[in-house]
Amino acid sequence: NRFVGRTMRVLTERGDSAHPGIVPGHTDNFLMVLTPSDVDANALIDVELIENRAEGLVGRALTMREVLCASQ
């Protein structure tokens, strides 16, 4: 997938009780992203997209330090 390896901003949504610890969300171009995280719903987070699955892209939430280092 052409998005794997990119870092994108994701708006998180309310998680599903069937998948605890997984936070769903969407990018600004409506790509579904699943992130193992404890981030609350309705947060904008930067996510590194690491895998493409049938249910959506899998991402890794970046820390503030990683975001700041990447912007320099």
Side-chain angles (χ1 to χ4, degrees):
N1 182 309
R2 65 185 178 139
F3 296 103
V4 172
R6 290 188 186 184
T7 297
M8 300 185 82
R9 182 141 304 157
V10 172
L11 176 61
T12 61
E13 300 169 2
R14 187 179 326 258
D16 179 354
S17 61
H19 300 97
I22 302 296
V23 176
H26 285 88
T27 65
D28 60 357
N29 55 341
F30 305 105
L31 298 171
M32 170 59 83
V33 178
L34 304 169
T35 306
S37 179
D38 60 354
V39 176
D40 292 330
N42 298 319
L44 278 174
I45 61 171
D46 289 309
V47 173
E48 177 187 10
L49 302 175
I50 58 174
E51 185 180 352
N52 186 22
R53 294 187 181 175
E55 57 272 10
L57 291 156
V58 176
R60 179 182 70 86
L62 299 178
T63 64
M64 184 57 72
R65 175 180 228 137
E66 290 172 308
V67 171
L68 292 174
C69 289
S71 66
Q72 293 181 2

